[in-house]
């Protein structure tokens, strides 16, 4: 770790704010085509757990759905500090590992699927529509947990990621491209998070 990285690390440790327990990272299919992209991802996962995260969700947006199966296979082989669940765009089984990776799993589509599942229960007489709660919707989501900190590299947009879950997340955008993302960039995001006063919609 370089001198500047050590300086940032000491600031993160000294600051009174809480560290994010659930960190989400948004990258693109194109990012993963860059040399060293998978090594960068493995490093980010290590940094997240080094700084007390207990869950990490990675969303990879894809332009070509045909690329999704290859990405699922490759990302399932990551050298990661915790167990990994990878879900493709058509997966409906809920992810429950400490590290969750979504491949082309758009938030609109995930939310619509949840609503359809609840509507079928209402149609079968298994559920009162007036009794449906936020928790009922979340129980149907493939990625149910709300991130504390969401980091997006390269551009200031969320790419249809976790629309329901990220409504109260602290968003951190950096113009650093994924191929150039370093530990100091991760530490800057965490330090920025620790300085914020979370409002949770209030």
């Amino acid at each position: 770790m370089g001198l500047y990285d050590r300086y940032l690390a000491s600031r993160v440790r000294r600051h009174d704010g809480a560290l994010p327990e659930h960190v989400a990272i948004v990258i693109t299919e194109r990012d993963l085509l860059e040399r060293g992209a998978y090594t960068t991802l493995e490093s980010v996962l290590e940094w997240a757990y080094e700084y007390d995260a207990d869950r990490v969700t990675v969303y990879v947006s894809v332009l070509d759905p045909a690329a999704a199966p290859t990405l699922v296979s490759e990302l399932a082989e990551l050298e990661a500090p915790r167990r990994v669940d990878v879900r493709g765009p058509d997966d409906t089984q809920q992810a429950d590992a400490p590290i969750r990776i979504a491949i082309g799993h758009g938030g609109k589509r995930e939310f619509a699927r949840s609503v359809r599942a609840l509507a079928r229960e209402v149609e079968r007489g298994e559920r009162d529509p007036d009794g449906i709660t936020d928790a009922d919707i979340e129980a149907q989501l493939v990625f149910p947990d709300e991130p504390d900190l969401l980091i997006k590299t390269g551009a200031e947009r969320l790419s249809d990621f976790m629309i329901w879950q990220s409504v109260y997340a602290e968003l951190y955008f950096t113009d650093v491209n994924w191929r150039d993302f370093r530990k100091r960039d991760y530490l800057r995001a965490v330090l920025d998070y620790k300085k914020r006063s979370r409002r949770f919609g209030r």
Side-chain angles (χ1 to χ4, degrees), residues 7-73:
Y7 164 72
L8 282 173
S10 68
R11 290 191 64 193
V12 167
R13 291 298 187 192
R14 289 199 311 265
H15 197 280
D16 290 337
L19 288 161
E21 295 180 4
H22 182 186
V23 176
I25 311 288
V26 180
I27 57 179
T28 68
E29 169 193 357
R30 184 175 300 172
D31 289 329
L32 291 178
L33 296 175
E34 298 285 348
R35 179 179 296 179
Y38 287 86
T39 301
T40 298
L41 180 53
E42 291 170 351
S43 296
V44 170
L45 296 174
E46 292 282 354
W47 302 333
Y49 284 98
E50 180 183 350
Y51 287 90
D52 296 349
D54 60 23
R55 284 159 293 163
V56 180
T57 301
V58 179
Y59 174 62
V60 183
S61 63
V62 296
L63 296 176
D64 180 7
T70 300
L71 289 170
V72 169
S73 298

Side-chain angles (χ1 to χ4, degrees), residues 46-122:
E46 292 282 354
W47 302 333
Y49 284 98
E50 180 183 350
Y51 287 90
D52 296 349
D54 60 23
R55 284 159 293 163
V56 180
T57 301
V58 179
Y59 174 62
V60 183
S61 63
V62 296
L63 296 176
D64 180 7
T70 300
L71 289 170
V72 169
S73 298
E74 291 177 347
L75 288 164
E77 299 300 319
L78 279 178
E79 293 290 331
R82 301 286 190 279
R83 186 169 62 88
V84 177
D85 271 350
V86 183
R87 297 287 183 265
D90 297 320
D91 287 329
T92 58
Q93 182 181 1
Q94 192 168 89
D96 63 359
I99 298 172
R100 304 150 189 207
I101 302 178
I103 311 295
H105 209 282
K108 288 183 178 180
R109 186 176 182 183
E110 183 187 34
F111 181 71
R113 183 187 292 132
S114 175
V115 171
R116 284 196 298 272
L118 291 171
R120 285 193 289 270
E121 292 182 11
V122 170

Side-chain angles (χ1 to χ4, degrees), residues 52-186:
D52 296 349
D54 60 23
R55 284 159 293 163
V56 180
T57 301
V58 179
Y59 174 62
V60 183
S61 63
V62 296
L63 296 176
D64 180 7
T70 300
L71 289 170
V72 169
S73 298
E74 291 177 347
L75 288 164
E77 299 300 319
L78 279 178
E79 293 290 331
R82 301 286 190 279
R83 186 169 62 88
V84 177
D85 271 350
V86 183
R87 297 287 183 265
D90 297 320
D91 287 329
T92 58
Q93 182 181 1
Q94 192 168 89
D96 63 359
I99 298 172
R100 304 150 189 207
I101 302 178
I103 311 295
H105 209 282
K108 288 183 178 180
R109 186 176 182 183
E110 183 187 34
F111 181 71
R113 183 187 292 132
S114 175
V115 171
R116 284 196 298 272
L118 291 171
R120 285 193 289 270
E121 292 182 11
V122 170
E123 187 177 29
R124 293 193 297 265
E126 300 169 358
R127 184 182 294 275
D128 178 1
D130 292 330
I132 293 174
T133 66
D134 291 358
D136 294 323
I137 293 173
E138 288 163 5
Q140 301 289 338
L141 299 175
V142 177
F143 299 90
D145 296 330
E146 299 177 0
D148 298 309
L149 170 64
L150 192 155
I151 301 171
K152 174 68 172 70
T153 65
E156 294 189 9
R157 59 179 180 271
L158 293 183
S159 305
D160 191 27
F161 171 66
M162 295 181 82
I163 290 171
W164 174 275
Q165 303 92 318
S166 63
V167 65
Y168 297 139
E170 296 298 321
L171 309 181
Y172 182 85
F173 297 103
T174 174
D175 58 4
V176 175
N177 290 321
W178 181 249
R179 66 176 180 270
D180 301 318
F181 195 79
R182 297 165 295 177
K183 189 169 188 177
R184 64 185 56 182
D185 302 304
Y186 183 80

